[in-house]
Amino acid sequence: MITTIIFDLGAVLIDWNPRYMYRTLFDDEAEMERFLAEITTPDWNEEQDAGRPLDEGTKMLVQQFPEHEHHIRAFYSRWDEMLGEAFHDTVEIFKQLKESGKYRIYALTNWSAETFPVAFERFDFLRWFDGIVVSGTEKMRKPTPEFYHILLDRYQVKAKDALFIDDNYRNILAAEKIGINCIHFTSAGQLEQDLLNLELL
């Protein structure tokens, strides 16, 4: 019996993409892609998501790549420009689940504690959650098992009674290993169908 639904945020409910900002700095798309793949890498960004201060992460990268200082510093000084719109079809599914009154609904997100308030201010639906666990605040992130347990323990949720929705298959596998039911998110349409198949929607 699923009593709790846990959403990831980025790429599920919220569109975040550094390209939105960096396209204003790069004239060459291929050059931009090299910069994102080799300098401001996803692994580097995830360290800030895991609690490393933005200033520290930025200074470290500037020391490594001083010739790219301007573009590196733009990552967090203009971070708000990387936030796109909400994925409205997924938000509508969230709304249906919330209004059914059948479930407690939480968010478990890899997100810097310093940038998350920007999103919280921008997207009203974030206030619908019964609780949000932010990796940067907890100083650990998915797929670390302990991070999932923070949510389970804090809100007294049994893993077998929870359903976790995330676009990153790495995070899905980690959740399944500790007994959480999962849906690997690929689209709002797929999520809706999976929830209907499970008789949760």
Side-chain angles (χ1 to χ4, degrees):
M1 175 75 74
I2 299 298
T3 60
T4 302
I5 296 175
I6 305 166
F7 277 92
D8 174 40
L9 295 179
V12 175
L13 287 161
I14 296 172
D15 183 15
W16 176 85
N17 192 327
R19 291 163 185 80
Y20 296 147
M21 186 276 287
Y22 276 113
R23 285 193 179 110
T24 71
L25 297 179
F26 286 92
D27 295 325
D28 186 318
E29 188 89 0
E31 186 182 349
M32 178 191 71
E33 291 298 337
R34 279 195 299 274
F35 176 81
L36 293 172
E38 298 173 9
I39 298 173
T40 54
T41 65
D43 286 345
W44 169 78
N45 182 50
E46 280 200 330
E47 289 304 310
Q48 283 69 258
D49 288 350
R52 182 167 64 190
L54 304 188
D55 186 56
E56 182 182 323
T58 299
K59 285 179 178 177
M60 184 197 75
L61 217 54
V62 167
Q63 287 176 351
Q64 286 181 271
F65 305 100
E67 69 278 17
H68 295 288
E69 179 173 2
H70 175 68
H71 287 153
I72 291 168
R73 291 194 181 280
F75 194 97
Y76 289 117
S77 67
R78 296 178 57 182
W79 183 90
D80 62 319
E81 297 175 48
M82 301 178 185
L83 268 185
E85 298 296 318
F87 289 117
H88 298 292
D89 289 349
T90 317
V91 173
E92 182 57 34
I93 293 169
F94 174 19
K95 185 179 180 183
Q96 290 179 47
L97 293 168
K98 181 73 176 176
E99 290 181 345
S100 75
K102 297 177 182 177
Y103 314 105
R104 293 186 292 164
I105 306 181
Y106 300 100
L108 186 73
T109 183
N110 283 359
W111 207 306
S112 163
E114 294 175 71
T115 59
F116 185 71
V118 178
F120 194 78
E121 185 67 26
R122 185 174 299 187
F123 300 108
D124 288 342
F125 67 83
L126 292 177
R127 293 164 179 78
W128 302 351
F129 285 106
D130 295 302
I132 301 175
V133 178
V134 178
S135 62
T137 303
E138 307 299 337
K139 305 292 194 293
M140 67 176 71
R141 61 174 174 80
K142 295 174 285 185
T144 307
E146 290 81 5
F147 186 52
Y148 299 82
H149 280 293
I150 286 174
L151 188 149
L152 298 178
D153 295 344
R154 182 171 297 165
Y155 299 109
Q156 298 179 318
V157 177
K158 293 180 180 177
K160 66 181 179 62
D161 297 335
L163 175 72
F164 176 55
I165 300 161
D166 197 302
D167 67 296
N168 190 322
Y169 194 57
R170 172 198 71 177
N171 299 337
I172 291 291
L173 291 176
E176 288 178 338
K177 282 183 180 177
I178 61 174
I180 300 174
N181 305 283
C182 293
I183 290 177
H184 180 215
F185 180 90
T186 58
S187 70
Q190 163 261 326
L191 174 61
E192 181 178 33
Q193 189 57 57
D194 285 349
L195 290 169
L196 288 169
N197 291 345
L198 293 169
E199 299 182 350
L200 299 176
L201 197 62

